[in-house]
Amino acid sequence: KALNNIASVATFEKMQAVSSSAEHLTIQSKSTPLADWTSSTVSIHQLAYGQENKSNGMRAPDLYEGGLGYQQFELEVDGHRHQLFVEVQGGDTNKTVQEKMSSAINNAKLGISASVSAANGVSTLSIRSNNTGDSDANRFQLRDVTGALVRTTSVDTVHQDAQNAVYMVDGGAVQSSSTNEVSLGNGITAILRKETGVEPVTVTKDKDTTYIKEQIGDLVKSF
């Protein structure tokens, strides 16, 4: 069976789409370009993002000075308000409090993810939407209810607003997508990675050497 597969002329005629710059655009692995298509150019004006907030860096080992006890903050997502609680105890550091806020947000499972990163003794709390696109569902707001967690960590600072990807294929109409995986037409799906600036990415057709290697590998394994 493996020998028959590799003996097939189609094995060596199978084509794939190839990006001139993987830094800016990659081709979805299952894409199969149409037989009469030869090449396309893609200009990427902006990528799709969900909202991301970042706190100011805080001295990670320093004791938190925003007050002790149960503190409440509100996370509003797509117009819906959710009350979250953190208990600040004596001896909690800035990083510890950031991690408690991160856990409260993640445990709420609101389509929003939080994480704490630390470098050179400074910790930062980041909060981001799990999805991309210019939609209220991918935007959120934080505010203090009791205590001063949001104010002292400054995690209500928007670092990146939610937005759609904007791109053009072959100099045609401007297109918009809520995700960075987009259809270029002609059987090709691409993943946008980085804005291109003045010079567009060229997508061309070439032999699918990966598929050929897979068929050879199957033959060797069978043997």
Side-chain angles (χ1 to χ4, degrees):
K1 182 181 175 183
L3 197 55
N4 285 336
N5 287 342
I6 202 169
S8 168
V9 174
T11 296
F12 299 96
E13 288 185 347
K14 192 171 187 300
M15 305 300 285
Q16 64 178 343
V18 180
S19 169
S20 64
S21 175
E23 177 187 8
H24 295 88
L25 180 150
T26 54
I27 305 300
Q28 212 266 3
S29 59
K30 294 181 180 178
S31 290
T32 302
L34 299 182
D36 58 353
W37 171 81
T38 54
S39 68
S40 293
T41 58
V42 184
S43 299
I44 305 168
H45 300 296
Q46 70 180 33
L47 299 180
Y49 291 105
Q51 181 180 331
E52 180 180 11
N53 284 20
K54 278 190 177 182
S55 70
N56 291 332
M58 303 176 74
R59 290 290 305 166
D62 290 358
L63 291 177
Y64 178 73
E65 298 180 349
L68 302 179
Y70 277 97
Q71 302 194 31
Q72 180 181 358
F73 65 99
E74 185 175 82
L75 177 57
E76 182 177 339
V77 184
D78 196 16
H80 301 285
R81 298 182 176 187
H82 307 272
Q83 309 302 313
L84 305 178
F85 297 86
V86 166
E87 183 184 8
V88 181
Q89 299 174 321
D92 280 356
T93 64
N94 289 327
K95 184 171 183 286
T96 303
V97 171
Q98 288 175 332
E99 288 172 339
K100 287 182 176 181
M101 291 182 71
S102 175
S103 295
I105 292 168
N106 290 332
N107 291 339
K109 301 186 186 306
L110 302 173
I112 306 294
S113 298
S115 61
V116 177
S117 59
N120 302 319
V122 175
S123 60
T124 303
L125 173 60
S126 299
I127 304 173
R128 64 185 62 83
S129 170
N130 293 342
N131 298 306
T132 61
D134 183 7
S135 165
D136 288 342
N138 301 324
R139 292 189 173 90
F140 54 87
Q141 293 181 337
L142 294 106
R143 57 183 70 93
D144 288 312
V145 179
T146 58
L149 290 170
V150 174
R151 178 176 59 81
T152 54
T153 60
S154 69
V155 76
D156 54 341
T157 304
V158 178
H159 177 71
Q160 170 67 60
D161 193 13
Q163 65 181 36
N164 285 346
V166 178
Y167 64 102
M168 293 169 58
V169 180
D170 293 327
V174 174
Q175 301 186 54
S176 177
S177 169
S178 61
T179 74
N180 290 310
E181 184 171 314
V182 301
S183 171
L184 305 182
N186 297 298
I188 304 165
T189 301
I191 299 162
L192 310 182
R193 302 286 186 186
K194 183 180 178 181
E195 291 87 350
T196 54
V198 177
E199 199 67 34
V201 175
T202 301
V203 181
T204 54
K205 189 159 57 176
D206 199 1
K207 294 278 188 183
D208 191 344
T209 54
T210 301
Y211 180 76
I212 296 171
K213 288 175 183 176
E214 287 174 355
Q215 297 305 310
I216 293 172
D218 286 345
L219 175 62
V220 172
K221 214 183 306 182
S222 299
F223 182 80

